[in-house]
Amino acid sequence: MPQHFDLLGKELNNIKGLKQNPDATGFFLQEVLRFYSIAGTLLTSDICLNTSSTVDGRYLTHVLSRSLLEPYFTILYIFDDFSLMSARYEEQKNTFKDNYRKLMNDLNAPVWSNFMTQHGNNLEPADPTWKNLKKLPDVNTMLGYVKNHSGGTLNYLYPLYRITSFDTHGRSLGTIFESVFGKQCNFPILDIEYAIELLANEYLSLYNTLRTNKLI
């Protein structure tokens, strides 16, 4: 088990015991638990998590890694400056509101009436005033704002995010590449174990900083 991921695991019971308030800190704590669950499943699986992985392995590891990277960037952005934490969490909430409004607009179309009759009572209605809200910057912009716990920039992670995003939507299938480029092509296989260790290190550092500042 990677070193920092193992250290994060030793804090897991303490994290679970903390009150998860409906604010930026609660968002962070729940995402750490989600990260540990997904990353831990990958690390204990038989799937190769380095650049020697097969294409079939990449289909799984890249998709799951992408689901961990975007909230990771968001959390670093929210907590990069504690004086801006509340305002930036509002941007996260506004992004959620906008996406949820679009979801409900789609599902409330007449063609999905049967689905909504069965499941609509499990969905909260969207507020029609959720428009023109200040949302999160795009990932590339967010990475320009934030630094890791050592003070270094994280822009180098953007290609990792874009590769996993491209893979997530099934756009890297070999037949498509061959059809487009007229030949068989390669596509990067990323070192997912290294990425997991990197995220675990940052989450552990932020967790300790929030405890030190009595924010959790």
Side-chain angles (χ1 to χ4, degrees):
M1 194 74 70
Q3 177 186 1
H4 292 105
F5 187 84
D6 186 51
L7 290 173
L8 183 63
K10 292 177 180 179
E11 293 290 343
L12 210 62
N13 286 334
N14 292 330
I15 293 172
K16 289 178 178 178
L18 293 170
K19 184 178 180 180
Q20 296 176 11
N21 296 312
D23 59 12
T25 63
F27 176 67
F28 165 69
L29 293 172
Q30 286 198 348
E31 181 55 31
V32 169
L33 294 175
R34 191 181 79 92
F35 161 76
Y36 191 86
S37 176
I38 294 174
T41 299
L42 286 172
L43 288 169
T44 55
S45 73
D46 293 329
I47 301 171
C48 179
L49 298 180
N50 58 38
T51 55
S52 300
S53 176
T54 64
V55 171
D56 286 342
R58 187 195 80 208
Y59 292 152
L60 178 64
T61 61
H62 282 200
V63 170
L64 290 176
S65 297
R66 196 270 187 193
S67 78
L68 299 177
L69 283 169
E70 192 161 5
Y72 166 71
F73 298 146
T74 301
I75 283 171
L76 292 186
Y77 171 72
I78 290 172
F79 291 97
D80 186 60
D81 184 338
F82 287 167
S83 69
L84 299 174
M85 180 177 65
S86 295
R88 288 182 173 181
Y89 185 59
E90 284 299 312
E91 294 175 18
Q92 161 62 21
K93 288 164 58 180
N94 288 342
T95 301
F96 173 90
K97 290 175 182 178
D98 189 59
N99 288 330
Y100 192 84
R101 178 181 61 83
K102 292 175 181 176
L103 167 70
M104 294 306 294
N105 283 348
D106 285 346
L107 294 181
N108 281 317
V111 69
W112 309 122
S113 59
N114 288 339
F115 173 85
M116 292 301 286
T117 298
Q118 288 183 279
H119 303 287
N121 61 338
N122 293 320
L123 293 163
E124 296 293 331
D127 190 323
T129 66
W130 289 349
K131 297 178 181 179
N132 302 316
L133 303 171
K134 184 180 181 183
K135 297 176 290 186
L136 290 170
D138 61 79
V139 169
N140 197 25
T141 302
M142 275 198 289
L143 287 177
Y145 283 119
V146 302
K147 293 180 172 58
N148 61 23
H149 71 278
S150 301
T153 62
L154 293 167
N155 300 77
Y156 67 92
L157 289 174
Y158 186 70
L160 180 72
Y161 169 75
R162 289 297 290 122
I163 291 293
T164 56
S165 295
F166 198 80
D167 234 353
T168 295
H169 300 289
R171 298 191 179 103
S172 60
L173 298 177
T175 53
I176 299 177
F177 272 95
E178 188 172 353
S179 179
V180 170
F181 295 105
K183 62 179 181 178
Q184 292 187 343
C185 303
N186 294 319
F187 195 71
I189 296 178
L190 302 172
D191 191 338
I192 301 302
E193 185 169 342
Y194 172 77
I196 288 173
E197 180 70 346
L198 179 69
L199 269 64
N201 186 21
E202 291 295 327
Y203 280 153
L204 189 62
S205 177
L206 179 55
Y207 167 70
N208 288 328
T209 299
L210 292 174
R211 282 201 310 178
T212 299
N213 286 273
K214 303 187 185 306
L215 292 172
I216 57 174

